[in-house]
Coordinates of all heavy atoms in Angstrom, one line a residue:
L183 N 0.8 -1.2 0.0 CA 0.0 0.0 0.0 C 0.8 1.3 0.0 O 0.3 2.4 -0.2 CB -0.9 0.0 1.2 CG -2.0 -1.1 1.3 CD1 -2.8 -1.0 2.5 CD2 -2.8 -1.2 0.0
G184 N 2.1 1.1 0.3 CA 3.0 2.3 0.3 C 2.8 3.2 1.5 O 2.9 4.4 1.3
V185 N 2.6 2.6 2.7 CA 2.4 3.4 3.9 C 3.2 2.8 5.0 O 3.6 1.7 4.9 CB 0.9 3.4 4.3 CG1 0.0 4.1 3.3 CG2 0.4 2.0 4.6
Q186 N 3.5 3.6 6.0 CA 4.3 3.2 7.2 C 3.4 2.4 8.1 O 2.1 2.5 8.1 CB 4.9 4.4 7.9 CG 5.8 5.2 7.1 CD 6.4 6.4 7.9 OE1 5.9 6.7 9.0 NE2 7.4 7.0 7.3
L187 N 4.0 1.5 9.0 CA 3.2 0.7 9.9 C 2.4 1.5 10.8 O 1.3 1.1 11.1 CB 4.2 -0.2 10.7 CG 4.9 -1.3 9.8 CD1 5.9 -2.0 10.7 CD2 3.9 -2.3 9.2
Y188 N 2.9 2.6 11.3 CA 2.1 3.5 12.2 C 0.8 3.9 11.5 O -0.3 3.8 12.1 CB 2.9 4.7 12.6 CG 2.1 5.7 13.4 CD1 2.1 5.7 14.8 CD2 1.4 6.8 12.8 CE1 1.5 6.6 15.6 CE2 0.7 7.7 13.6 CZ 0.8 7.6 14.9 OH 0.1 8.5 15.7
D189 N 0.9 4.3 10.3 CA -0.3 4.8 9.5 C -1.2 3.6 9.2 O -2.4 3.7 9.2 CB 0.1 5.5 8.2 CG 0.9 6.8 8.6 OD1 0.6 7.5 9.5 OD2 1.9 7.1 7.8
L190 N -0.5 2.5 8.8 CA -1.3 1.3 8.5 C -2.2 0.8 9.6 O -3.4 0.5 9.3 CB -0.3 0.1 8.1 CG -1.0 -1.2 7.7 CD1 -1.5 -1.1 6.3 CD2 0.1 -2.3 7.7
D191 N -1.8 0.8 10.8 CA -2.6 0.4 11.9 C -3.8 1.3 12.2 O -4.8 0.8 12.7 CB -1.7 0.4 13.2 CG -0.8 -0.9 13.3 OD1 -1.2 -1.9 12.7 OD2 0.2 -0.8 14.1
R192 N -3.7 2.5 11.8 CA -4.8 3.5 12.1 C -5.8 3.6 10.9 O -6.7 4.4 11.0 CB -4.2 4.8 12.5 CG -3.7 4.8 13.9 CD -2.6 5.9 14.1 NE -2.1 5.8 15.5 CZ -1.3 4.9 16.0 NH1 -0.8 4.0 15.1 NH2 -0.9 4.9 17.2
M193 N -5.6 2.9 9.8 CA -6.5 3.0 8.7 C -7.8 2.2 9.0 O -7.8 1.3 9.8 CB -5.8 2.4 7.4 CG -4.8 3.3 6.9 SD -4.1 2.6 5.4 CE -3.1 4.0 4.8
D194 N -8.8 2.6 8.2 CA -10.1 1.8 8.2 C -9.9 0.7 7.2 O -10.4 0.7 6.1 CB -11.2 2.8 7.8 CG -12.6 2.1 7.8 OD1 -12.7 1.0 8.3 OD2 -13.5 2.7 7.3
L195 N -9.3 -0.4 7.7 CA -8.8 -1.4 6.7 C -8.9 -2.8 7.3 O -8.6 -3.1 8.5 CB -7.3 -1.1 6.4 CG -6.6 -2.1 5.5 CD1 -7.2 -2.2 4.2 CD2 -5.1 -1.7 5.4
T196 N -9.4 -3.7 6.5 CA -9.5 -5.1 6.8 C -8.8 -5.9 5.7 O -9.1 -5.6 4.5 CB -11.0 -5.6 7.0 OG1 -11.6 -4.9 8.1 CG2 -11.0 -7.1 7.3
A197 N -8.0 -6.8 6.0 CA -7.3 -7.6 5.0 C -7.3 -9.1 5.4 O -7.2 -9.5 6.6 CB -5.8 -7.1 4.9
D198 N -7.4 -9.9 4.4 CA -7.3 -11.4 4.5 C -5.9 -11.9 4.2 O -5.4 -11.5 3.2 CB -8.4 -12.1 3.7 CG -9.8 -11.6 4.0 OD1 -10.0 -11.3 5.2 OD2 -10.6 -11.6 3.1
T199 N -5.4 -12.9 4.9 CA -4.1 -13.5 4.6 C -4.4 -15.0 4.4 O -5.4 -15.5 4.7 CB -3.1 -13.3 5.8 OG1 -3.5 -14.2 6.9 CG2 -3.1 -11.9 6.3
S200 N -3.3 -15.6 3.9 CA -3.4 -17.1 3.6 C -2.9 -17.9 4.8 O -2.9 -19.1 4.8 CB -2.6 -17.4 2.4 OG -1.2 -17.1 2.6
L201 N -2.4 -17.2 5.9 CA -1.8 -17.9 7.0 C -2.8 -18.7 7.8 O -4.0 -18.3 7.9 CB -1.1 -16.9 7.9 CG 0.1 -16.1 7.3 CD1 0.5 -15.0 8.3 CD2 1.2 -17.1 7.0
N202 N -2.4 -19.8 8.3 CA -3.2 -20.6 9.2 C -2.6 -20.4 10.6 O -1.6 -21.0 11.0 CB -3.1 -22.1 8.9 CG -3.9 -23.0 9.7 OD1 -3.9 -22.9 11.0 ND2 -4.7 -23.9 9.1
M203 N -3.2 -19.5 11.4 CA -2.6 -19.0 12.6 C -2.5 -20.1 13.7 O -1.4 -20.1 14.4 CB -3.4 -17.8 13.1 CG -3.2 -16.6 12.3 SD -1.5 -16.2 11.9 CE -0.8 -15.8 13.5
P204 N -3.4 -21.0 13.9 CA -3.2 -22.1 14.9 C -1.9 -22.9 14.6 O -1.1 -23.2 15.5 CB -4.5 -22.9 14.9 CG -5.5 -21.9 14.4 CD -4.8 -21.1 13.4
L205 N -1.8 -23.2 13.3 CA -0.6 -24.0 12.9 C 0.6 -23.2 13.0 O 1.7 -23.6 13.4 CB -0.8 -24.5 11.5 CG 0.3 -25.5 10.9 CD1 0.4 -26.7 11.8 CD2 -0.1 -25.9 9.5
Q206 N 0.5 -21.9 12.6 CA 1.7 -21.0 12.7 C 2.1 -20.9 14.2 O 3.4 -21.0 14.4 CB 1.2 -19.6 12.2 CG 2.1 -18.4 12.6 CD 3.1 -18.2 11.5 OE1 3.0 -18.6 10.4 NE2 4.2 -17.4 11.8
N207 N 1.2 -20.7 15.1 CA 1.6 -20.6 16.5 C 2.2 -21.9 17.0 O 3.1 -21.9 17.8 CB 0.4 -20.2 17.3 CG -0.1 -18.8 17.0 OD1 0.7 -17.9 16.5 ND2 -1.4 -18.5 17.2
E208 N 1.6 -23.0 16.6 CA 2.1 -24.3 17.1 C 3.5 -24.6 16.6 O 4.4 -25.0 17.4 CB 1.2 -25.4 16.5 CG 1.5 -26.8 17.1 CD 0.5 -27.9 16.6 OE1 -0.6 -27.5 16.1 OE2 0.8 -29.1 16.7
I209 N 3.8 -24.3 15.4 CA 5.2 -24.5 14.9 C 6.2 -23.5 15.5 O 7.3 -23.8 15.8 CB 5.2 -24.4 13.3 CG1 4.4 -25.6 12.7 CG2 6.6 -24.4 12.8 CD1 4.3 -25.6 11.2
S210 N 5.7 -22.3 15.7 CA 6.6 -21.3 16.4 C 7.0 -21.7 17.8 O 8.1 -21.6 18.2 CB 5.9 -19.9 16.5 OG 5.6 -19.4 15.2
R211 N 6.0 -22.3 18.5 CA 6.3 -22.8 19.9 C 7.3 -24.0 19.8 O 8.2 -24.1 20.6 CB 5.0 -23.2 20.6 CG 4.2 -22.1 21.1 CD 3.1 -22.6 22.0 NE 2.2 -23.5 21.3 CZ 1.1 -23.0 20.8 NH1 0.8 -21.7 20.7 NH2 0.2 -23.9 20.2
Y212 N 7.1 -24.9 18.8 CA 8.0 -26.0 18.6 C 9.4 -25.5 18.3 O 10.4 -26.0 18.9 CB 7.5 -26.9 17.4 CG 8.3 -28.1 17.2 CD1 8.1 -29.3 17.9 CD2 9.4 -28.1 16.3 CE1 8.8 -30.4 17.7 CE2 10.2 -29.2 16.1 CZ 9.9 -30.4 16.8 OH 10.7 -31.5 16.6
L213 N 9.6 -24.6 17.4 CA 10.9 -24.1 17.1 C 11.6 -23.4 18.3 O 12.8 -23.6 18.5 CB 10.9 -23.1 16.0 CG 10.4 -23.6 14.6 CD1 10.5 -22.5 13.6 CD2 11.3 -24.8 14.2
Q214 N 10.8 -22.7 19.1 CA 11.4 -22.1 20.4 C 11.8 -23.2 21.4 O 12.8 -23.0 22.1 CB 10.4 -21.2 21.0 CG 10.1 -19.9 20.1 CD 8.9 -19.1 20.5 OE1 8.1 -19.5 21.4 NE2 8.6 -18.0 19.8
Q215 N 11.0 -24.3 21.4 CA 11.4 -25.4 22.4 C 12.7 -26.0 22.0 O 13.4 -26.6 22.9 CB 10.3 -26.5 22.3 CG 9.1 -26.2 23.1 CD 8.1 -27.3 23.1 OE1 7.5 -27.6 22.1 NE2 8.0 -28.0 24.2
L216 N 13.1 -25.9 20.8 CA 14.4 -26.6 20.4 C 15.6 -25.9 21.1 O 16.7 -26.5 21.1 CB 14.6 -26.5 18.9 CG 13.5 -27.3 18.1 CD1 13.8 -27.1 16.6 CD2 13.6 -28.8 18.4
A217 N 15.4 -24.7 21.7 CA 16.5 -24.1 22.4 C 16.7 -24.8 23.8 O 17.8 -24.6 24.4 CB 16.3 -22.6 22.6
D218 N 15.7 -25.5 24.2 CA 15.8 -26.2 25.5 C 16.6 -27.5 25.4 O 16.2 -28.4 24.6 CB 14.4 -26.5 26.0 CG 14.4 -27.2 27.4 OD1 15.5 -27.4 27.9 OD2 13.3 -27.6 27.8
P219 N 17.7 -27.7 26.1 CA 18.5 -28.9 25.9 C 17.8 -30.2 26.2 O 18.0 -31.2 25.5 CB 19.7 -28.7 26.9 CG 19.8 -27.2 27.1 CD 18.3 -26.7 27.0
T220 N 16.8 -30.2 27.1 CA 16.1 -31.4 27.4 C 15.2 -31.8 26.2 O 15.2 -32.9 25.8 CB 15.2 -31.1 28.7 OG1 16.0 -30.8 29.8 CG2 14.4 -32.4 29.0

C-alpha cells in the first residue's frame, strides 16, 4: 500500500491473509522449544 506501519494500523482497513494461525503458533512454539537442551 506504500504506507508506514504506524499509519497502516490506524486505517479503516480489513485484510485477509493465507496464513493458518493455529498451525503458525504451534510451529513457532516447537521451534522455540528446540533451544531447551532437554
Side-chain angles (χ1 to χ4, degrees):
L183 298 181
V185 298
Q186 298 179 351
L187 292 175
Y188 175 91
D189 298 321
L190 181 73
D191 280 338
R192 285 157 178 77
M193 286 183 173
D194 180 12
L195 175 62
T196 299
D198 298 329
T199 75
S200 63
L201 295 172
N202 184 312
M203 290 312 294
L205 186 58
Q206 167 91 14
N207 295 332
E208 186 177 345
I209 292 178
S210 297
R211 286 192 296 269
Y212 181 88
L213 296 183
Q214 291 164 358
Q215 279 184 290
L216 295 177
D218 180 4
T220 303

